[in-house]
Amino acid sequence: MPTLPSLGELSLDTFLSDYWQKKPVVLRGVFPDWQCPLTPDELAGLAMEEEVESRLVLERDQGKPWQLKAGPFSDEDFDQLPENGWSLLVQAVDHWVPEATALLDQFRFIPNWRLDDLMVSYAPDGASVGPHFDFYDVFLVQGLGKRHWQLGPKCNAQSARVKDTPLNILADFKADAEYILEPGDVLYVPPQFAHWGVAQGDCMTYSVGFRAPSHAEILDDYVAELCSRLPEHLRYQDPATAPTQTPGLLGNDALSALQALLTEQINQPQQLAQWFGKYMTEPKYLPDQGTETAPDQEALSQAAAELQEHDGPLFQAPDARFAYFESQLFANGERYECDAETAALLANTRCISGWQAQVTQPGVAALLSQLVARDLLWFEDPTAPEGEDE
């Protein structure tokens, strides 16, 4: 499915120049023929699966406000819920529901390595997850029923929070604007803007979130990557040291030498691109993450045989994250070398046509076999409803 050509009456260029990471905006009728990808019962069914991340937000539980329970849940858990005052949230629904994957794909006018996942929430009439703010951008697609949204000012880490809750609930929320969203409408909220959505009737909202690692997370991971590559014999040196009368002083010469050392290690664009490609494509919601082993020769041979017989397009798996830089392809935290044209072809679209012409390039057949064997490329369309042919 192609990306959105516009956001309702707002062009993508206008949205990106006037609103993206600047101010919230309500986008009416973005999906005029909206059909909800799943029902509340189907969402509850996902929340009962061990491999699916899910949460229940309770507006009050055992006398405490805004409490959180983690899934997986059981029929008994749902039967014990009060009539109102709770919300169910399920992460990465795009991994499990083809129509949800197709919905997420429509927002790839933002680089797809920035896209995180599609979270779906259900709330009975009058329920919400409270006034809060996030540190990332989010498109809130109204899916079922209506939701009354109140938008507040920009917040920060010092904004007062409600105590005795694990949630990021604002203690002093003041609305600057109010809107009611209907199915097919979208609310865009930039990072740190306060918002509070209350269900009107049975309500489902589809939240398209974006990855926004903190500066601390970026530096922590990148410095760890740098350190893993540095040999032990590289040490701090000061061959031009002169006699000193102030042995306790940290001199400017030493600090300049240290800054030059750090700059030399960080100012390596190719190394930065290699790290960043792996970092931003690393999966977050896969079971047994980090335990994957390389496919064995039998799996690679089977994948190669299937590729030889397949004459249609290839498809990125729903949980696959692809990016590229020059002749480097990144997929789910791994880096693969290939020609630049192949890297762009595999990373830029979910439906990959014309891949057969690239197989003659050195190493491409082996690369495709790797990606198929790792279940990152599929022969069937993962966004097609069950039972449909590609």
Side-chain angles (χ1 to χ4, degrees), residues 248-308:
L249 176 66
L250 291 172
N252 288 329
D253 288 347
L255 294 176
S256 295
L258 186 61
Q259 186 173 12
L261 181 155
L262 295 174
T263 301
E264 179 185 1
Q265 294 301 327
I266 291 175
N267 189 21
Q268 300 185 45
Q270 286 289 335
Q271 186 165 288
L272 179 66
Q274 290 178 19
W275 165 80
F276 194 58
K278 292 189 294 183
Y279 182 70
M280 290 302 287
T281 61
E282 203 166 59
K284 288 174 58 179
Y285 297 109
L286 294 182
D288 300 325
Q289 183 179 335
T291 63
E292 181 186 4
T293 57
D296 58 26
Q297 190 56 50
E298 182 180 353
L300 290 172
S301 297
Q302 181 178 346
E306 291 175 340
L307 281 164
Q308 286 184 339

Side-chain angles (χ1 to χ4, degrees), residues 17 23 48 54 71 82 84 93 118 123 143 150 160 174 189 234 236 241 256 290 306 308 327 348 366 371:
S17 64
K23 57 184 177 181
M48 298 170 73
S54 58
N84 208 319
V93 174
L118 184 70
Q150 298 180 74
K174 293 182 174 62
V189 184
L234 289 180
Y236 178 84
T241 298
S256 295
E306 291 175 340
Q308 286 184 339
S327 60
N348 277 334
L371 297 175

Side-chain angles (χ1 to χ4, degrees), residues 74-365:
S74 64
D75 286 327
E76 184 179 0
D77 292 322
F78 289 122
D79 290 341
Q80 292 176 352
L81 286 172
E83 184 176 341
N84 208 319
W86 57 272
S87 297
L88 172 65
L89 291 76
V90 180
Q91 296 288 158
V93 174
D94 50 295
H95 290 192
W96 314 103
V97 180
E99 295 87 348
T101 305
L103 174 61
L104 186 67
D105 286 345
Q106 294 206 52
F107 290 88
R108 295 184 188 275
F109 56 87
I110 304 295
N112 60 23
W113 47 265
R114 280 276 272 125
L115 277 173
D116 196 352
D117 73 324
L118 184 70
M119 183 189 76
V120 181
S121 65
Y122 167 81
D125 183 51
S128 77
V129 297
H132 67 284
F133 70 93
D134 304 302
F135 285 104
Y136 54 85
D137 303 89
V138 62
F139 290 98
L140 299 157
V141 182
Q142 189 58 30
L144 176 70
K146 299 179 181 180
R147 194 180 283 272
H148 175 222
W149 284 102
Q150 298 180 74
L151 302 179
K154 195 170 185 177
C155 303
N156 56 45
Q158 284 70 50
S159 299
R161 317 294 215 286
V162 174
K163 296 180 179 180
D164 298 323
T165 170
L167 298 168
N168 186 31
I169 306 297
L170 292 166
D172 185 23
F173 176 81
K174 293 182 174 62
D176 296 330
E178 300 184 36
Y179 304 92
I180 294 177
L181 264 64
E182 300 187 5
D185 292 341
V186 177
L187 170 63
Y188 164 71
V189 184
Q192 297 181 237
F193 277 87
H195 51 288
W196 187 4
V198 179
Q200 294 190 344
D202 286 352
C203 176
M204 292 181 73
T205 299
Y206 293 72
S207 302
V208 178
F210 291 80
R211 290 193 172 187
S214 69
H215 291 185
E217 291 170 327
I218 289 172
L219 287 171
D220 180 66
D221 200 274
Y222 185 47
V223 169
E225 173 77 6
L226 288 176
C227 291
S228 70
R229 300 184 180 196
L230 291 175
E232 186 71 11
H233 71 268
L234 289 180
R235 300 287 177 132
Y236 178 84
Q237 295 180 343
D238 48 4
T241 298
T244 179
Q245 300 299 317
T246 54
L249 176 66
L250 291 172
N252 288 329
D253 288 347
L255 294 176
S256 295
L258 186 61
Q259 186 173 12
L261 181 155
L262 295 174
T263 301
E264 179 185 1
Q265 294 301 327
I266 291 175
N267 189 21
Q268 300 185 45
Q270 286 289 335
Q271 186 165 288
L272 179 66
Q274 290 178 19
W275 165 80
F276 194 58
K278 292 189 294 183
Y279 182 70
M280 290 302 287
T281 61
E282 203 166 59
K284 288 174 58 179
Y285 297 109
L286 294 182
D288 300 325
Q289 183 179 335
T291 63
E292 181 186 4
T293 57
D296 58 26
Q297 190 56 50
E298 182 180 353
L300 290 172
S301 297
Q302 181 178 346
E306 291 175 340
L307 281 164
Q308 286 184 339
E309 297 174 0
H310 185 66
D311 58 3
L314 293 171
F315 299 91
Q316 294 180 5
D319 55 14
R321 298 182 61 86
F322 281 82
Y324 70 100
F325 176 75
E326 296 178 348
S327 60
Q328 300 172 77
L329 177 72
F330 305 95
N332 280 31
E334 298 289 337
R335 182 174 69 92
Y336 302 88
E337 291 284 353
C338 61
D339 64 281
E341 185 178 354
T342 298
L345 176 68
L346 297 179
N348 277 334
T349 176
R350 284 279 183 180
C351 176
I352 305 163
S353 300
W355 59 271
Q356 294 89 345
Q358 300 301 116
V359 173
T360 57
Q361 299 294 326
V364 171

